[in-house]
Structures are given as C-alpha cells and as structure tokens.
Amino acid sequence: MTWEERWHPLREEWVIVAAHRQDRPWSGETVVNGRPDLPGYASDCYLCPGNVRVSGKQNDIYKGTYVFDNDHPCVGEDAPTQLIKPAGPYRNQSARGIARVVCYSPRHNLTLAELEVFEIENLLRAWQEQYVDLSGRPEINHVLIFENKGEAVGVSNPHPHCQIYATNFVFKTIETEARVSEGYLADKGRVLFQDILKAEIDDGRRIICETDSAIAFMPYFARYAYEVYVAPKQTHSSIATLAEIELREFASTLKCLLVKLDNLWRMPFPYVMTLHQSPANGIDHKGFHFHVEIHPPLRRPNLLKYLAGPEIGGGNFLSDTAPEEKAAELRSVEL
Ligand SMILES: [Zn+2]
Ligand SMILES: [Zn+2]
C-alpha cells in the first residue's frame, strides 16, 4: 500500500498519495449507464453539419474537422478596451483574444476514441494549423486547446469537439511548466520532460501505450486517478513541428489510450484533455516539451473525485490511489 508524498516536478508541488485508505466505506453510485443510442445527425445540435447556430450562422456541410469562431467567446475582439482602473493592488486588462470551436467529425454520435487513426491524425493537423495561425499573432501570448468530455465535466452536447482559447495572457499551469522547464534546462543542461520520460521508460510500470516516437503514461506524480499524459518522445515545444510519422504515431497512441479508458468500465470515459504547449509570447522555449494531459474526474464508475479541503482549500492534491495500481488496470484492458 502506497502512503507517501510525491514531488510533481512540472508544477513544483507535493502530491499526497494515501492509497492505504482505499478500503474506507463509501456510498457512491456504482451503476454504469452506457450512452443512450444517439443519432449520427441531430437537427437540434449546433455542431452538426449544415445546422444554424444561435448566432444565426450556418455550419458548413463539413466532412472532416471543422473550425469556427465561438458564438459566445470568453475572450474576443469585441471585449471592451476602455476599462475602469481598479483601486489599490488590483489590476485589470481587456479580455481580448480569440475563442474557437473545433468539431472532430460530422458524426454527432462518435467520440475521439471512436475515430479512425487517420481521422485523429487529421485532427492533429487541424490543431497544428490553429496553433501556427493563432500563436503567430502579436496580441496572442498563449493558445490553450482543450476538450471537456462527458456530463461529469459539465458537457451536455455529445458531438465530438474541443475548444481553443487564444489569450493575451499565459494560463497558469503552462506559465509554471514553462518557467520550471527553462530553469531545469539552464541548471542541468537537459530537458525536464526528457528526464521524466526516461524515468517512466526505465520503470515501465506506468506506461499504457507506446510506439517508436510516442508514449502514453500515467506519471509517477499523478494527481488524479487515471491521469495520463501522451507525448512525442522527441522534444517539440508545440504540436506545430511534429513530423508526419510522429503525428501518425501520436494519433495511434492517443487512440490506444482512449479506447483503454472507455473499455475499462465499458462506458464513454469522461475527461478534461488539454494540450500543453509552450507560451507564444515571443520567447524561445527550448526546455518545453509538448504533451497532452488527460484528467478524468472519476475515481470509480460514477464516483467523482471531489476537490475539497486539500485541493481547493490548500492547493495540493490528495490522491487515494497509487498510479502504479491504476496504470496496471489500464495496461491489462483489452483493446
Ligand atoms: Zn451534432
Ligand atoms: Zn503539462
């Protein structure tokens, strides 16, 4: 039974692993509800091909991935620029930026895990194009690409899609990772994430899927049960510079991982998936290693990991499970 504190080198914080308490009584629901049969096209879905969105704009009759500007952007070119200066230590700035939506497929009832590898590869190319386009703009300092999947993370529309927030500030997690990675490179002359990969490959127990150029693993310092990272083995500061073969193997590795997650409890596995790419603030981030982080909110079927005192109150995670055990579960799942 694992009971210790583990250092999260990318966030520079401790994670308490208290897996010895797993036999505690609990009263969560265990019933697994499969996804109700969904149609391939839904006339009331704002993401399906040809449908008209609330803004009055009509989606193209698209066949593959489809990108459009978010109709309800949290950051946008229309955000007010004339702001009232706050008093004292407070600061504000205009919420300018670009928010977009990327549909993965015209099919309403598919998930990322269910797409063919070549379709995932096309999605990766769309992400590359978006990153290059948005990160090249002077007013943009960061491009956050993320997918919220499942009602457990508040998504009611099953149409497979992700969002892009291109902002004038760098999101906190990325800012931390970038600072830590540059410091590590300066100190040791090595890329931190390469040392993480080496440690994971040497240990082997937490690797879920692997090809020559891509790897999916549950990190030693995982904060969530079933938290997994997918990364190219070569260091790229963003997805933009991945070569064809790297894209293909990244796609197949991501699919392998997502299918295992779905098959684990035979349900569409909810998650928040985020691309961690270097800030686009004009600085060369040589120590930053692009990766995808997947944070599933469930500890068991239908049992949410509640963020409470340690996480919300204190800012550090308390994990009830050891990554080695959770990784072993995923490793043994049939594809
Ligand atoms: Zn749809
Ligand atoms: Zn990261």
Side-chain angles (χ1 to χ4, degrees), residues 22-306:
Q22 264 188 61
D23 295 333
R24 283 184 308 161
W26 61 291
S27 56
E29 277 286 320
T30 49
V31 182
V32 178
N33 297 312
R35 199 177 44 172
D37 272 344
L38 292 167
Y41 164 81
S43 58
D44 60 349
C45 169
Y46 68 99
L47 299 171
C48 273
N51 287 1
V52 176
R53 308 196 301 270
V54 282
S55 60
K57 299 199 173 91
Q58 187 179 22
N59 294 332
D60 293 350
I61 310 282
Y62 61 95
K63 304 274 185 235
T65 56
Y66 178 59
V67 184
F68 63 88
D69 285 344
N70 196 318
D71 297 317
H72 299 290
C74 68
V75 290
E77 281 156 9
D78 298 334
T81 51
Q82 304 292 324
L83 302 175
I84 298 165
K85 260 195 179 318
Y90 303 141
R91 288 161 64 188
N92 59 0
Q93 64 180 5
S94 176
R96 287 173 75 82
I98 298 165
R100 288 180 176 161
V101 176
V102 182
C103 296
Y104 295 168
S105 161
R107 293 271 307 276
H108 182 76
N109 57 354
L110 289 183
T111 65
L112 183 54
E114 291 166 322
L115 296 185
E116 300 293 334
V117 171
F118 81 88
E119 292 173 307
I120 299 176
E121 210 182 316
N122 287 337
L123 172 64
L124 299 179
R125 281 201 195 89
W127 286 344
Q128 279 187 320
E129 285 165 19
Q130 290 299 314
Y131 182 82
V132 170
D133 170 15
L134 295 166
S135 68
R137 302 182 186 213
E139 73 277 20
I140 298 301
N141 284 315
H142 184 237
V143 180
L144 188 75
I145 301 177
F146 64 95
E147 177 188 351
N148 300 328
K149 181 190 165 205
E151 293 184 11
V153 295
V155 180
S156 51
N157 187 342
H159 198 116
H161 69 286
C162 72
Q163 300 187 60
I164 303 177
Y165 290 176
T167 50
N168 53 6
F169 70 94
V170 181
F171 271 81
K172 186 70 189 172
T173 298
I174 305 302
E175 185 185 80
T176 302
E177 287 192 4
R179 175 177 52 76
V180 169
S181 299
E182 292 319 305
Y184 194 94
L185 184 64
D187 279 358
K188 302 190 191 291
R190 299 191 306 273
V191 172
L192 170 57
F193 206 93
Q194 286 292 354
D195 281 3
I196 290 174
L197 289 183
K198 182 173 185 316
E200 291 297 339
I201 290 167
D202 284 351
D203 185 290
R205 286 175 298 167
R206 293 175 300 269
I207 297 173
I208 314 300
C209 310
E210 191 179 5
T211 63
D212 285 346
S213 70
I215 186 167
F217 63 98
M218 185 171 293
Y220 168 79
F221 47 81
R223 296 180 301 156
Y224 290 81
Y226 309 106
E227 172 177 339
V228 268
Y229 288 16
V230 187
K233 290 183 180 172
Q234 292 290 323
T235 296
H236 295 267
S237 65
S238 78
I239 194 173
T241 49
L242 263 69
E244 285 292 306
I245 181 70
E246 289 178 298
L247 278 185
R248 188 165 315 130
E249 294 192 0
F250 195 97
S252 67
T253 305
L254 181 60
K255 180 175 169 80
C256 162
L257 172 68
L258 295 175
V259 169
K260 278 179 174 263
L261 285 170
D262 278 3
N263 288 356
L264 181 67
W265 297 329
R266 290 185 213 93
M267 62 183 280
F269 210 86
Y271 57 71
V272 173
M273 177 177 77
T274 314
L275 275 68
H276 283 201
Q277 315 197 71
S278 78
N281 51 2
I283 300 165
D284 193 11
H285 294 274
K286 283 199 180 64
F288 200 100
H289 188 116
F290 157 66
H291 57 284
V292 168
E293 294 191 11
I294 295 176
H295 295 109
L298 296 185
R299 293 163 51 193
R300 301 183 198 175
N302 280 9
L303 182 68
L304 279 174
K305 158 72 178 170
Y306 291 107

